[in-house]
Amino acid sequence: MANTTSSTDARANGGKTVIVDPVVAKVAGIAAAEVPGVHALGGGAARVIGNIRQAVGSKDYAQGVSVEVGETEVAADIAIQVDYPERIQRVASNVRAAVEKAISEIVGMKAVEVNVTVVDVFIPGDDDEQEEARVH
């Protein structure tokens, strides 16, 4: 992912504002994570790294999020894990709407494309059973 930036026209207000990709990715990630039915962001490896970061008191809000930022538009790819038995298409649609709204309202840009990839379904109890089997 290239680290591109967006900026406003310097002639309009006597200066310019630069918004870098990681900021937009963080805003998109926070919006996606707040959608009911989203258990986590990112695929398996990203979630493992995210769990390690959380264990040391840090959180990567852009986990599972990739963005391309232009002058006035953003394209975003979001990977999510959905809680079972949530309706997957509904959760993905709600993530898309939440990310579009956050990019528009918080970043001040237009989200021209928000792709949502459902990488897993979280079933409560699956992780607990695996941990118990390892710790006897």
Side-chain angles (χ1 to χ4, degrees), residues 2 6 10 13 18 22 29-30 33-34 55 58-60 75 92-93 96 106 108 110 116 124 131 134 136:
S6 169
N13 60 11
V18 176
I30 292 168
E34 291 177 346
S58 175
K59 182 164 175 66
D60 181 6
S93 179
R96 191 173 295 106
I106 296 172
K110 180 181 179 186
V116 178
E131 284 183 30
R134 294 187 309 180
H136 285 288

Side-chain angles (χ1 to χ4, degrees), residues 40 44-58 63 127:
R47 287 196 316 268
V48 168
I49 292 169
N51 289 340
I52 293 169
R53 281 189 169 153
Q54 271 190 304
V56 296
S58 175
Q63 172 183 308
D127 290 340

Side-chain angles (χ1 to χ4, degrees), residues 74-97:
V74 175
D77 296 312
I78 317 283
I80 63 171
Q81 181 183 23
V82 176
D83 287 322
Y84 182 85
E86 295 289 336
R87 299 174 93 182
I88 294 172
Q89 291 290 354
R90 180 182 298 163
V91 173
S93 179
N94 290 344
V95 166
R96 191 173 295 106

Side-chain angles (χ1 to χ4, degrees), residues 65-126:
V65 180
S66 173
V67 297
E68 291 181 36
V69 181
E71 287 295 319
T72 60
E73 298 176 333
V74 175
D77 296 312
I78 317 283
I80 63 171
Q81 181 183 23
V82 176
D83 287 322
Y84 182 85
E86 295 289 336
R87 299 174 93 182
I88 294 172
Q89 291 290 354
R90 180 182 298 163
V91 173
S93 179
N94 290 344
V95 166
R96 191 173 295 106
V99 170
E100 288 173 354
K101 181 178 179 184
I103 289 172
S104 173
E105 292 180 2
I106 296 172
V107 180
M109 300 178 80
K110 180 181 179 186
V112 293
E113 185 176 296
V114 177
N115 300 307
V116 178
T117 302
V118 179
V119 295
D120 200 359
V121 174
F122 176 78
I123 301 170
D126 273 0

Side-chain angles (χ1 to χ4, degrees), residues 12-27:
N13 60 11
K16 69 178 183 175
T17 301
V18 176
I19 304 171
V20 295
D21 287 14
V23 172
V24 178
K26 186 180 278 190
V27 168

